[in-house]
Amino acid sequence: MAKTIALLFHEWHWISVSKYCEGTIWATVMFLVALVTLPVRTACAEQPKELVFGMSAPFTGTNGEMGVEFYRGIMAYLDHLNATGGAGGWTLRVLPCNDGYNPGPCFENTSDFIRSKDVFALFSYLGTPTTTHILPLLQKFDEHQTYMLFPLTGAQPMRTEPFRKYVYNLRASYFEETAGLVKNLTEIGRDRIAVFYQSDAYGRTGWDGVRRALLLQGLHIVSEAAYQRGANFDSDFVRESRLLLAGTPDAVICIGTYGAQAALIRDLRDMGSDIPVAGVSFAESGKMLELLTKAGMEHGKDYTRNLINTQVVPSYEAVELPGVRLYRTLMDAYKGAASVSGSTYTPRRFSYVSFEGFLNGVLLGEMVSRMADAPSRERIPDVMNSIHDFDMGIGVPVDFSDGKHQGLHAVYYTTVVNDRFLPIDDWQRWRK
């Protein structure tokens, strides 16, 4: 049934996330009937006072290593929380399912979570093309109070109607990340900005963010190039590099994955261009740096110069922050599996992605603690609304009060320093 349902959806466009793929009217009717006649049950658990959350993410494929990092950060905190009494006495269990960063498998996973596993909520999905693809399910399950908690995506469909009511975001949006990049680059005279983006909902959201930010200053994108989802570091982006350089840009903003962005940087540098290349948080900067460093050693070149990446959490080196200290302590103590759902990835000690997952775990624990007397899906909106100026130890408070569906808005800017992406101390180094 799940595979049949998945076939009813095409990959979504960047603005419209409700277009059904071609199929018979009868199949569509049967699909809708199946959705609206589901029974209401308590979330499936293996033991008393346990709540189960469904997580669909890539653990193999293009973004597999990113998915593992994200999951490890989540579990480092939740294992600690469960071992010390849980959230108000409730044990929190995450059920991870691999989607390979593909919308179809993500849809199947989500259908299974809701129809068979009956999870308490969907939690920490990873990726825009996958997460946006399942939003109609949340709308169709409206009476069953199925919510998406803290996905790793900054895309607009999760933040605007008609789906905003079903999603609670912790992180800043891609519009906020790209607006910050445009502001900082133009302030140092780099106002001829090109865009390299993934040709799907993720890439188009970021492209639109850059476009909007430039328009506010009376500027336009000088050149652009796109690539198909699934590209990696082995991809050849010489043609795309030429398209970008044809606009004589002062900088390139990328809306891509770590492998694709690294491949573009390599090809731009091999063509003699040393202009700044900036990416957003989803282009997992640590893994991207690993790829570029290894390639640089093999080719006798430095591919790590003039790189900028936004982050949506503080630096994991900011040990003056209590939340960072706790993260580092629990990650070092974490004894969970290094792989999940078939992945064979050797994890890093710390990363921005695992720190984001860690903070998701902290917020999940806080939400459940606030309803520990009687957890229920129906109470999620009221409990989230009660979270006001919540201190996670990262220097900025989390606020979901007054009906907000995004708790943080901070964007951090990093560049390569001593083989790590660390906070930028002075943008003037790139002044044109």
Side-chain angles (χ1 to χ4, degrees):
M1 178 64 178
K3 291 184 178 179
T4 300
I5 293 173
L7 292 175
L8 293 175
F9 286 86
H10 273 314
E11 181 177 333
W12 298 15
H13 296 295
W14 68 285
I15 285 180
S16 175
V17 292
S18 60
K19 178 182 283 186
Y20 292 108
C21 70
E22 294 179 0
T24 66
I25 296 175
W26 175 249
T28 302
V29 170
M30 293 302 294
F31 164 68
L32 296 177
V33 169
L35 291 182
V36 300
T37 58
L38 288 174
V40 178
R41 301 187 299 270
T42 303
C44 179
E46 294 181 348
Q47 57 188 354
K49 298 204 74 173
E50 179 181 73
L51 298 178
V52 182
F53 298 84
M55 175 187 183
S56 184
F59 298 117
T60 58
T62 303
N63 275 325
E65 297 185 14
M66 185 176 181
V68 175
E69 283 293 306
F70 192 42
Y71 177 76
R72 291 181 66 250
I74 292 167
M75 295 312 301
Y77 181 77
L78 292 186
D79 280 0
H80 164 75
L81 180 68
N82 290 335
T84 53
W90 289 85
T91 296
L92 308 185
R93 179 162 63 93
V94 175
L95 183 62
C97 285
N98 183 27
D99 58 37
Y101 195 50
N102 289 307
C106 182
F107 193 95
E108 294 179 24
N109 292 342
T110 305
S111 176
D112 188 52
F113 286 149
I114 299 172
R115 300 181 69 249
S116 300
K117 302 297 191 298
D118 198 27
V119 298
F120 190 79
L122 308 177
F123 173 65
S124 288
Y125 277 37
L126 189 158
T128 299
T130 48
T131 306
T132 55
H133 194 65
I134 61 90
L135 291 177
L137 279 177
L138 306 186
Q139 189 175 51
K140 296 303 179 183
F141 280 106
D142 182 79
E143 66 185 79
H144 301 282
Q145 302 289 302
T146 301
Y147 293 97
M148 166 71 71
L149 305 177
F150 329 137
L152 198 163
T153 169
Q156 289 307 108
M158 273 64 72
R159 292 164 170 80
T160 54
E161 298 304 335
F163 303 112
R164 173 182 178 273
K165 64 179 287 188
Y166 306 104
V167 184
Y168 289 92
N169 304 280
L170 177 58
R171 66 181 353 250
S173 71
Y174 293 141
F175 276 11
E176 290 169 315
E177 292 187 59
T178 52
L181 286 173
V182 169
K183 177 180 181 294
N184 282 289
L185 288 168
T186 55
E187 284 181 349
I188 57 172
R190 294 189 176 271
D191 55 9
R192 294 187 58 79
I193 295 176
V195 181
F196 176 70
Y197 63 95
Q198 185 165 285
S199 185
D200 62 8
Y202 163 50
R204 293 296 288 182
T205 294
W207 172 91
D208 191 41
V210 175
R211 182 188 67 87
R212 290 167 182 253
L214 287 170
L215 281 176
L216 289 175
Q217 302 186 47
L219 301 171
H220 302 274
I221 296 171
V222 297
S223 54
E224 60 185 75
Y227 72 92
Q228 294 298 311
R229 185 178 64 250
N232 55 35
F233 192 56
D234 293 329
S235 300
D236 183 339
F237 287 137
V238 171
R239 176 180 175 275
E240 289 77 7
S241 296
R242 288 173 178 158
L243 287 172
L244 295 172
L245 294 176
T248 61
D250 298 325
V252 177
I253 293 179
C254 298
I255 317 296
T257 59
Y258 58 79
Q261 183 169 319
L264 178 79
I265 292 166
R266 176 202 62 213
D267 290 348
L268 281 172
R269 300 309 186 229
D270 285 347
M271 294 177 68
S273 174
D274 202 34
I275 61 174
V277 178
V280 296
S281 58
F282 193 79
E284 219 274 79
S285 56
K287 179 58 183 177
M288 181 179 69
L289 187 58
E290 284 183 9
L291 294 172
L292 291 171
T293 300
K294 181 179 178 181
M297 293 176 64
E298 293 173 351
H299 299 162
K301 293 185 177 182
D302 182 4
Y303 292 122
T304 67
R305 295 180 65 251
N306 293 332
L307 303 185
I308 299 165
N309 240 74
T310 56
Q311 315 292 347
V312 293
V313 297
S315 170
Y316 50 78
E317 298 290 346
V319 294
E320 69 277 9
L321 298 172
V324 172
R325 293 197 299 272
L326 179 62
Y327 159 75
R328 292 170 67 97
T329 297
L330 295 185
M331 287 301 290
D332 279 340
Y334 178 56
K335 303 301 181 185
S339 62
V340 62
S341 297
S343 171
T344 57
Y345 166 56
T346 301
R348 296 191 299 281
R349 184 184 177 193
F350 307 124
S351 70
Y352 289 101
V353 171
S354 65
F355 191 24
E356 182 173 348
F358 181 89
L359 294 179
N360 279 7
V362 172
L363 186 56
L364 182 67
E366 179 66 16
M367 185 198 78
V368 174
S369 292
R370 294 188 183 211
M371 62 167 74
D373 56 326
S376 70
R377 291 188 283 258
E378 293 77 8
R379 294 182 62 192
I380 288 176
D382 287 341
V383 171
M384 290 303 298
N385 192 63
S386 75
I387 298 176
H388 174 66
D389 287 344
F390 175 54
D391 184 7
M392 291 200 294
I394 58 173
V396 289
V398 176
D399 186 7
F400 285 95
S401 64
D402 299 323
K404 299 182 184 73
H405 281 247
Q406 181 176 308
L408 291 173
H409 297 273
V411 178
Y412 306 85
Y413 305 93
T414 61
T415 191
V416 179
V417 180
N418 297 326
D419 300 321
R420 288 170 295 175
F421 271 92
L422 297 178
I424 293 173
D425 55 12
D426 185 7
W427 284 82
Q428 296 302 315
R429 73 179 72 179
W430 295 293
R431 177 167 286 282
K432 186 176 176 183

